[in-house]
Amino acid sequence: MKFLAIALLVLLAIFLVLYVTLIGRRRLAQRTTTLVPRPPEVPGADHVGSVRFGPLEAVYVSTTLHGDWLARVGAHGLGDRSNSIVSVHDGGVLVEREGADDLWVPVHAIRSTSLAPGMAGKYVGADGLVVLTWAVPEADDVAAALVDTGLRTRRAEDRGALVDAVRQLLADQQPQQHVQQDPHQQYPHQQEAR
């Protein structure tokens, strides 16, 4: 009888933890749906362009509001950690995620890339994450938003190579891109979100 009572208490505790986690994730998704629009769909093979780098294995860590690496974006599945395959194409960066929608970051949306020690959901230290800063274009009456997407490559030597490939992609696009003003002027709601 005592064993049954303990087993029921353990099951109840597990249920409560899962319930609270689910409610928290739903609230996070609802809060960030008004701040971050739905990311662009992955275009067909004709519009992705040739592969410049990759594919390579990585963990998609999460996407956060730009400049606040603890402000995870829960909307549109952007806060869901997953194993992924990352490749850099002429048209942008493709993150094919297991168990979640693939993420397409068009080249014209990419603002910068760098290495960082961590972000919401993962702290590895020593510049262990590749961070893409990009602008999610306006969609469904939600203003454009500047975000940071974190990727942890399976092999440490791939991190620098991925950053270099994205930087080269940006350098090749420079003559075609306009000079951008202060990002806070273009994305004023980012100040409010912090």
Side-chain angles (χ1 to χ4, degrees):
M1 187 70 160
K2 197 178 209 181
F3 177 73
L4 181 59
I6 292 173
L8 286 174
L9 285 175
V10 168
L11 286 175
L12 180 62
I14 291 171
F15 172 77
L16 287 174
V17 167
L18 292 175
Y19 179 75
V20 168
T21 301
L22 180 61
I23 295 298
R25 288 175 62 90
R26 283 187 181 164
R27 286 186 180 160
L28 176 63
Q30 289 172 344
R31 274 195 320 268
T32 55
T33 298
T34 60
L35 296 175
V36 179
R38 181 172 296 284
E41 296 288 325
V42 178
D46 298 345
H47 293 74
V48 169
S50 301
V51 175
R52 291 173 160 246
F53 179 76
L56 56 95
E57 292 183 10
V59 173
Y60 171 89
V61 176
S62 69
T63 294
T64 62
L65 297 176
H66 176 63
D68 188 352
W69 291 0
L70 295 177
R72 183 190 302 244
V73 176
H76 319 299
L78 293 174
D80 298 339
R81 184 181 172 130
S82 60
N83 291 325
S84 62
I85 302 294
V86 179
S87 51
V88 179
H89 297 259
D90 289 334
V93 178
L94 177 61
V95 183
E96 299 171 275
R97 303 191 301 159
E98 279 182 22
D101 292 339
D102 293 344
L103 180 63
W104 172 249
V105 182
V107 64
H108 61 81
I110 301 171
R111 299 297 180 256
S112 66
T113 185
S114 61
L115 295 173
M119 67 186 332
K122 186 75 169 176
Y123 183 83
V124 293
D127 293 336
L129 294 181
V130 174
V131 177
L132 287 174
T133 298
W134 61 290
V136 183
E138 180 179 350
D140 302 326
D141 296 325
V142 178
L146 202 57
V147 297
D148 295 320
T149 295
L151 303 165
R152 169 97 168 144
T153 61
R154 292 280 182 216
R155 297 176 342 146
E157 56 269 17
D158 289 339
R159 287 181 208 123
L162 178 57
V163 168
D164 290 344
V166 174
R167 286 180 178 164
Q168 185 60 50
L169 177 66
L170 290 174
D172 292 348
Q173 296 295 315
Q174 280 299 12
Q176 300 172 12
Q177 290 184 351
H178 301 293
V179 176
Q180 186 180 7
Q181 295 177 347
D182 178 21
H184 297 299
Q185 287 178 336
Q186 189 170 1
Y187 306 98
H189 67 279
Q190 295 298 325
Q191 294 288 358
E192 297 169 12
R194 291 186 187 148

